[in-house]
Amino acid sequence: MTREEIIQQLTQTVKSMRRLRMIQAFFDFAMIYGVIRILMSGSMVTMFNATFTQNNAMTVVFLISLIDLCFAFIRRNHRRDGMNLIAGLTGQLNDQEARLVQLLHRF
């Protein structure tokens, strides 16, 4: 791979990780919201404008947490791919390349 292709792939990886982080934040919020609603309610739980029994609400929160976990694994894979791309960069990095590397380490 040429240096330009590596930088292009690294840029796409950083953009993808940024989107995944926003999506994962939404599911984190939904999971916390569901747990709080379950703890504060009795036998019937109203969350997301729907009424569930407590067992069904716990199932919904469990499924949301599984989705959140899947996004965490996807982000981990993107981070690992980005690190492999960084390893392919040789020589001195210019400012744009160094900024991309810092962004990848941040995510």
Side-chain angles (χ1 to χ4, degrees):
M1 247 183 181
T2 65
R3 190 174 188 90
E4 292 79 26
E5 290 172 336
I6 291 174
I7 295 302
Q8 183 181 18
Q9 288 295 322
L10 197 57
T11 303
Q12 292 295 348
T13 301
V14 168
K15 286 180 183 178
S16 177
M17 288 180 71
R18 185 176 290 139
R19 281 180 293 210
L20 284 171
R21 186 178 65 171
M22 289 188 293
I23 293 169
Q24 191 174 11
F26 170 76
F27 281 103
D28 285 338
F29 174 76
M31 184 175 55
I32 292 169
Y33 169 77
V35 168
I36 290 172
R37 294 299 297 186
I38 289 170
L39 293 176
M40 301 299 280
S41 298
S43 62
M44 296 301 284
V45 179
T46 302
M47 61 182 187
F48 309 119
N49 253 357
T51 303
F52 301 98
T53 63
Q54 193 169 24
N55 287 337
N56 288 345
M58 288 182 356
T59 302
V60 169
V61 170
F62 176 73
L63 292 174
I64 290 171
S65 67
L66 282 178
I67 292 169
D68 189 46
L69 184 65
C70 290
F71 280 118
F73 283 133
I74 292 170
R75 280 182 61 198
R76 187 188 74 187
N77 287 339
H78 283 325
R79 186 177 303 119
R80 186 177 54 222
D81 291 343
M83 293 300 174
N84 290 337
L85 286 170
I86 289 172
L89 290 174
T90 57
Q92 187 69 17
L93 300 177
N94 63 27
D95 290 337
Q96 178 190 9
E97 295 167 351
R99 193 171 29 253
L100 277 173
V101 170
Q102 286 177 346
L103 282 174
L104 185 72
H105 285 293
R106 201 174 98 200
F107 292 119

